[in-house]
Amino acid sequence: MPQSPEHHLVITALGVDRPGIVNTITRHVSSCGCNIEDSRLAMLGEEFTFIMLLSGSWNAITLIESTLPLKGAELELLIVMKRTGAGARPPMPTTVWVQVEVADSPHIIERFTDLFDTHQMNIAELASRTQPAQDNQPPLLYIQMAAHSPASQDASLIEQAFHRLCTELHAQGTIKAVSHHRS
């Protein structure tokens, strides 16, 4: 008997954090016959957000689509779902990782996302957090980002631009660029 094609669903759950909530969601996903292929969880204030890419048969995905809204209401969660494909990702010959520590102010994250956009890089991950002001020091913003370039390019260009931006913003930053050239 031929195997049915896998279907994919992206789910975002948002709500007040409490012990056991993530386990309850993952148990429900498993009970519907779905597999969690990728996931991210973040705490934002008193809220948490849990993002998952699920795979499963048409029946399993349809079951989670029909039952998760009720489970979400029971758990006081906002649930968003969207079917998606599992298409192969295009090759990304260059990957860049950055870490930044800078005095917090508006537009700082935008400046770094603009840097990647200017160099035609796709942001794959972005994490930031602010540490409150202490001892007459301004609040500090910590940023971690990873980006990929769909075209081969000289990694030193993004590195130089990153260092110029860090100097301009009086930021402490590190960058690591890796080129994945095929021989």
Side-chain angles (χ1 to χ4, degrees):
M1 176 183 248
Q3 191 174 15
S4 63
E6 280 201 329
H7 295 260
H8 293 84
L9 183 70
V10 173
I11 294 174
T12 300
L14 172 67
V16 175
D17 185 41
R18 57 191 176 276
I21 189 97
V22 173
N23 183 48
T24 301
I25 296 167
T26 58
R27 186 178 318 124
H28 184 75
V29 166
S30 295
S31 73
C32 290
C34 294
N35 182 47
I36 301 172
E37 290 199 8
D38 197 356
S39 64
R40 304 285 187 280
L41 185 137
M43 297 297 305
L44 304 168
E46 294 178 357
E47 307 297 313
F48 85 100
T49 185
F50 191 25
I51 304 169
M52 298 173 279
L53 172 64
L54 307 181
S55 64
S57 67
W58 183 88
N59 288 344
I61 296 295
T62 301
L63 181 59
I64 194 80
E65 286 175 320
S66 63
T67 59
L68 193 58
L70 294 173
K71 181 60 81 174
E74 174 186 314
L75 298 170
E76 298 178 0
L77 298 174
L78 174 63
I79 303 285
V80 177
M81 298 179 277
K82 184 178 188 297
R83 290 227 184 190
T84 188
R89 293 183 178 166
M92 298 288 178
T94 303
T95 302
V96 174
W97 293 274
V98 299
Q99 290 185 312
V100 178
E101 180 180 314
V102 63
D104 191 24
S105 67
H107 306 288
I108 295 288
I109 294 174
E110 175 190 352
R111 296 289 304 276
F112 286 96
T113 59
D114 184 61
L115 175 73
F116 285 118
D117 184 48
T118 300
H119 287 83
Q120 290 83 44
M121 299 195 82
N122 298 333
I123 296 172
E125 295 182 25
L126 168 62
S128 68
R129 67 180 166 79
T130 302
Q131 181 174 331
Q134 295 178 349
D135 302 322
N136 295 327
Q137 296 293 320
L140 286 177
L141 175 63
Y142 298 95
I143 306 168
Q144 291 183 320
M145 296 175 72
H148 305 294
S149 173
S152 292
Q153 59 180 258
D154 182 359
S156 67
L157 297 176
I158 184 79
E159 290 171 339
Q160 292 168 10
F162 173 78
H163 290 301
R164 281 192 305 271
L165 181 57
C166 285
T167 299
E168 176 190 335
L169 298 174
H170 305 288
Q172 298 295 315
T174 60
I175 183 168
K176 180 180 178 186
V178 176
S179 295
H180 310 282
H181 296 288
R182 294 189 177 154
S183 305

